[in-house]
Amino acid sequence: MISPVSAMPRSAHRHRPEATPYVDLTRAEWSALRDKTPQPLTAEEVEKLRGLGDVIDLDEVRDIYLPLSRLLNLYVGATDGLRGALNTFLGEKGSQSGTPFVIGVAGSVAVGKSTVARLLQALLSRWPEHPRVELVTTDGFLLPTKELQARGLMSRKGFPESYDRRALTRFVADIKAGKDEVTAPVYSHLIYDIVPGERLTVRRPDILIVEGLNVLQPALPGSDGRTRVGLADYFDFSVYVDASGEDIERWYLERFKKLRQTAFHNPSSYFRKYTQVSEQEAVDYARMLWRTINKPNLTENIAPTRGRATLQLRKGPDHTVQRLRLRKL
Ligand SMILES: Nc1ncnc2c1ncn2[C@@H]1O[C@H](COP(=O)(O)OP(=O)(O)OP(=O)(O)O)[C@@H](O)[C@H]1O
Ligand SMILES: CC(C)(CO)[C@@H](O)C(=O)NCCC(=O)O
């Protein structure tokens, strides 16, 4: 019989370290774990994958993303082994082959998660075991502007209720179930809306990366009050991209300034009017968007999901990853 905790000698209580499901690593400790994983990208390729305002270079790829690519390659192999065990058990009763490995990438607006997701796609597709890596962002499942306006949600864009969560979960479930072709709507930052009539098609990838603010949020209970299977329940691995609130706000404002000099000049840009006002007015507007929408969303909905990620990447003020926290239990 297992003895109850209260029956243990007092000293055993006192000296037991607090149980934590994570292992914390410095940049140097993590970097050493890349082992002999070769660097498959050139400086030009990294430049193409870099988002506006991000600073990822070959050193960052080597130190942070090669160990991650190696870890994920090991995870994919081990998950295939588990799938084989399940298939042996199930036999004719529903066994499945070619189930894609699904990775979620979460974090605030402007933290750089789309760069992380693109880098992972490029690195993971170089492994011969899983060359077909698809990337989708949850932006495509935002409700169209007309619908957001009708529901009074224009200033809640990015909050859980601004997405068609059921369609998003179904989309990932269908890909994981091995459907030949699964499609999703497409979002444009330029027009700040869903692109009418456009769809993205995903065809049986080896790995699917799902990037978005909301990917680790728990599912809403159904109308019968029961818990549902949510998006994150389909993940085999997840990454939370983290940084201090002040740093992210600064990155958001700087990106807005850069976009004001570039993309906002496009006649179709939703933000075009901010090219015609002073920089100060434009920055004040961006700060208002940050403080009234993106920051509360970070605090209330995104940051609380951090502990659910398999891996947390903590960036410093210059965008480089300084600390990592990996789930080990
Ligand atoms: N208003 C905009 N007009 C044109 N391009 C934009 C606009 N906002 C963002 N982008 C571009 O789209 C890319 C992805 O933006 P997105 O909003 O997905 O990033 P994010 O979620 O804010 O944060 P992250 O930087 O983590 O991806 C940005 O790196 C930027 O280059
Ligand atoms: C589309 C999202 C929700 C996420 O990418 C975000 O970029 C956004 O539009 N947030 C609303 C406030 C703003 O314009 O920054």
Side-chain angles (χ1 to χ4, degrees):
M1 197 184 106
I2 300 167
S3 49
V5 174
S6 55
M8 287 171 72
R10 275 185 150 272
S11 56
H13 275 300
R14 230 179 291 132
H15 299 298
R16 193 145 24 103
E18 205 183 312
T20 163
Y22 309 106
V23 54
D24 286 301
L25 298 152
T26 62
R27 183 185 171 94
E29 287 166 336
W30 171 262
S31 168
L33 302 177
R34 75 176 173 273
D35 197 22
K36 294 180 186 66
T37 311
Q39 166 67 279
L41 300 178
T42 63
E44 291 73 40
E45 283 169 319
V46 173
E47 174 138 14
K48 278 202 206 111
L49 298 168
R50 187 163 58 200
L52 197 60
D54 223 319
V55 295
I56 280 175
D57 59 12
L58 280 177
D59 289 348
E60 188 73 358
V61 173
R62 185 196 58 218
D63 290 347
I64 304 299
Y65 298 95
L66 289 188
L68 181 52
S69 177
R70 173 173 180 242
L71 175 65
L72 282 165
N73 173 259
L74 294 171
Y75 255 78
V76 175
T79 307
D80 274 352
L82 273 179
R83 170 72 45 196
L86 187 60
N87 284 344
T88 304
F89 173 73
L90 284 173
E92 300 292 294
K93 290 259 176 260
S95 71
Q96 190 183 317
S97 62
T99 307
F101 186 90
V102 183
I103 302 169
V105 179
S108 168
V109 168
V111 78
K113 52 186 186 312
S114 41
T115 303
V116 170
R118 282 194 298 267
L119 261 177
L120 281 183
Q121 181 184 29
L123 291 171
L124 292 173
S125 64
R126 306 294 170 107
W127 292 91
E129 299 89 347
H130 37 75
R132 288 152 47 89
V133 186
E134 292 284 356
L135 168 57
V136 294
T137 97
T138 64
D139 289 350
F141 292 91
L142 277 162
L143 298 169
T145 297
K146 230 170 102 189
E147 191 57 38
L148 288 174
Q149 282 165 341
R151 299 188 193 189
L153 292 176
M154 269 315 267
S155 54
R156 305 281 287 178
K157 208 166 162 179
F159 280 64
E161 62 272 25
S162 66
Y163 294 90
D164 183 347
R165 281 171 281 187
R166 203 180 288 189
L168 171 60
T169 305
R170 200 179 322 122
F171 171 77
V172 175
D174 283 349
I175 295 173
K176 197 141 187 184
K179 271 202 178 176
D180 284 336
E181 237 183 55
V182 185
T183 72
V186 175
Y187 180 79
S188 158
H189 284 285
L190 193 69
I191 62 168
Y192 209 58
D193 198 356
I194 298 295
V195 185
E198 204 170 309
R199 308 283 296 186
L200 167 133
T201 305
V202 176
R203 294 184 181 86
R204 302 197 68 122
D206 302 313
I207 297 179
L208 173 72
I209 303 173
V210 189
E211 175 244 311
L213 312 173
N214 54 333
V215 297
L216 288 171
Q217 275 151 24
L220 284 181
S223 49
D224 54 5
R226 290 196 196 173
T227 312
R228 287 174 196 258
V229 177
L231 179 61
D233 294 311
Y234 292 100
F235 293 167
D236 297 289
F237 194 96
S238 52
V239 180
Y240 185 95
V241 188
D242 197 14
S244 86
E246 290 105 81
D247 287 337
I248 309 175
E249 174 170 358
R250 197 180 65 254
W251 298 337
Y252 179 79
L253 297 179
E254 309 253 292
R255 185 171 80 186
F256 198 91
K257 280 196 249 174
K258 283 195 192 129
L259 288 167
R260 185 174 166 269
Q261 278 148 18
T262 53
F264 292 177
H265 282 278
N266 186 313
S268 313
S269 174
Y270 176 83
F271 291 105
R272 191 152 186 244
K273 59 175 174 281
Y274 292 96
T275 61
Q276 269 123 47
V277 299
S278 69
E279 181 170 276
Q280 189 56 52
E281 269 176 87
V283 171
D284 286 346
Y285 175 72
R287 190 174 287 113
M288 187 278 292
L289 287 178
W290 177 260
R291 301 230 161 135
T292 60
I293 308 178
N294 298 319
K295 185 182 175 186
N297 194 20
L298 172 60
T299 313
E300 292 163 30
N301 301 307
I302 305 168
T305 68
R306 183 173 62 188
R308 305 183 76 204
T310 326
L311 177 69
Q312 298 171 38
L313 300 177
R314 173 80 184 188
K315 287 179 159 190
D318 66 351
H319 271 284
T320 59
V321 173
Q322 297 302 328
R323 283 187 284 122
L324 302 97
R325 170 169 277 195
L326 180 65
R327 280 286 297 265
K328 61 173 181 181
L329 301 179

